[in-house]
Amino acid sequence: MRPRRALPVLPALLLSATACTTGPSLENQGEVTAPPGDSKHLTIGSAGFTESELLAQMYALLLDRAGYSTKIISVTNREIYEPALESGRIDVVPEYAATFADWLNAKKNGADAAPVGAPDLAATMKALRALAAPHGLTVLDPGRAVDQNAFAVAAPYAAKHHLKTLSDLGRSALPVRLAAGDECVQRPYCAPGLKKTYGVRITAVDPKGVGTTQAKQAVQDGQDQMVLTTTTDATLDDFGLVLLADDKHLQNADFIVPVVNRSRAGSEGVRKALGELNTVLTTADLARLNEQVDSRRRLPEDVARKYLESKNLIPHG
């Protein structure tokens, strides 16, 4: 099969699609009774960044193998692609369980609503599915891969102080200057959570951003002792950094989940095809795939195909 590139989508095009929805009407939301649909022509949405593009490519290849005809479109804004998913302009998107649950919750209950995403995956999935269903969306089963906030230190620093977990860092009582985003000062998963959950001595937050090159270089050079990044960061080795395990589960369960438009892609065929990825794709796998695209400049469709071939999920070709 030919390689598949993500096609750009103009925001206006997607916004216009929301006017003629195939999901439940507002007055019937919460009472979705029609049988799930099984369109053979499916559009997969990518959020435009490397990891989302890779996942969209893998979804397309798996659905192709299962007999569906697919195309990929790239929409970088959740405020645009979620309504398009409701309307059926997009049929499938890769999402992150806790983040999407909180986004839907804020959409329903306001920006100040208490978060429903949690470190516990089962609780997060229950909340997410309850919020998604009235919009005509079905959340499929999560896999093994999780892309959540994580904290990394320089490898020599970890070796010197015998650090493998955030608990180790807390027990060490070492002063820690943390490279992160401005919001880290207040966010419960960041500086406050590190202090409360692990007893880490955060002396300052250096506002260099989340997982940016500048932030990682500051830790590599010893200006800062730790950086806020993600579990699928593909460049940690390039900076000589290692992750400290979140052994007390401070971070929310941002496991990767496919979300589908129920009326078009809610069938068992789609569920089974995408579920194939759950058996193999790990967080470490996803980090390596990201690295091949970001550092080695390989095309996402080529990386996705080679990975699925290596796992015998699609034929070698």
Side-chain angles (χ1 to χ4, degrees):
M1 290 178 284
R2 61 182 175 84
R4 178 186 289 98
R5 292 185 184 275
L7 302 174
V9 172
L10 295 176
L13 178 63
L14 286 178
L15 286 173
S16 67
T18 63
C20 51
T21 178
T22 58
S25 61
L26 290 175
E27 63 270 20
N28 292 328
Q29 284 189 355
E31 299 181 10
V32 181
T33 57
D38 192 26
S39 172
K40 295 302 179 183
H41 301 276
L42 299 176
T43 299
I44 299 162
S46 160
F49 57 93
T50 295
E51 186 168 289
S52 187
E53 291 175 2
L54 282 165
L55 290 165
Q57 293 288 343
M58 287 190 276
Y59 287 5
L61 288 164
L62 290 169
L63 288 167
D64 285 348
R65 176 72 194 279
Y68 295 87
S69 172
T70 62
K71 66 177 179 179
I72 296 173
I73 58 177
S74 181
V75 191
T76 58
N77 190 317
R78 187 178 276 117
E79 283 76 9
I80 295 173
Y81 75 66
E82 189 277 332
L85 184 62
E86 287 188 39
S87 74
R89 187 77 185 203
I90 293 175
D91 302 305
V92 185
V93 294
E95 262 293 356
Y96 300 89
T99 296
F100 195 45
D102 284 338
W103 191 89
L104 288 175
N105 187 46
K107 182 178 179 179
K108 177 183 178 182
N109 298 312
D112 296 330
V116 295
D120 181 78
L121 177 59
T124 297
M125 288 297 296
K126 182 178 180 180
L128 173 55
R129 283 172 166 153
L131 287 161
H135 295 279
L137 306 180
T138 296
V139 182
L140 304 186
D141 291 338
R144 300 160 62 189
V146 56
D147 186 352
Q148 59 192 168
N149 294 308
F151 296 92
V153 299
Y157 179 85
K160 178 180 178 180
H161 298 291
H162 309 288
L163 305 177
K164 292 184 177 180
T165 68
L166 288 169
S167 289
D168 292 340
L169 183 59
R171 283 191 295 267
S172 74
L174 291 163
V176 174
R177 182 177 165 92
L178 174 62
D182 292 336
E183 70 279 1
C184 180
V185 175
Q186 297 179 325
R187 291 285 174 87
Y189 67 80
C190 204
L194 290 171
K195 294 174 183 177
K196 181 179 179 181
T197 302
Y198 290 105
V200 176
R201 287 180 57 199
I202 303 295
T203 59
V205 173
D206 188 4
K208 285 185 165 60
V210 179
T212 63
T213 296
Q214 184 185 22
K216 285 180 275 197
Q217 284 178 338
V219 175
Q220 183 184 39
D221 297 341
Q223 178 183 344
D224 298 330
Q225 286 71 51
M226 188 160 68
V227 59
L228 170 62
T229 183
T230 65
T231 51
T232 59
D233 189 323
T235 63
L236 292 179
D237 286 347
D238 296 341
F239 294 91
L241 306 182
V242 294
L243 292 178
L244 296 182
D246 180 21
D247 53 309
K248 292 185 179 179
H249 306 292
L250 171 63
Q251 304 304 322
N252 283 342
D254 257 332
F255 284 75
I256 292 164
V257 291
V259 181
V260 304
N261 177 290
R262 185 179 188 274
S263 67
R264 288 182 50 80
S267 69
E268 183 60 27
V270 171
R271 182 185 299 273
K272 183 177 179 181
L274 297 183
E276 295 277 345
L277 195 59
N278 293 351
T279 63
V280 297
L281 185 66
T282 65
T283 303
D285 286 347
L286 196 50
R288 285 191 291 269
L289 298 178
N290 286 336
E291 190 271 337
Q292 290 181 48
V293 176
D294 290 337
S295 296
R296 303 184 193 177
R297 304 303 180 191
R298 296 183 60 195
L299 294 174
E301 55 262 40
D302 294 338
V303 173
R305 180 181 297 279
K306 289 295 184 182
Y307 178 75
L308 295 183
E309 288 175 349
S310 74
K311 299 298 181 180
N312 295 315
L313 293 182
I314 62 172
H316 293 255

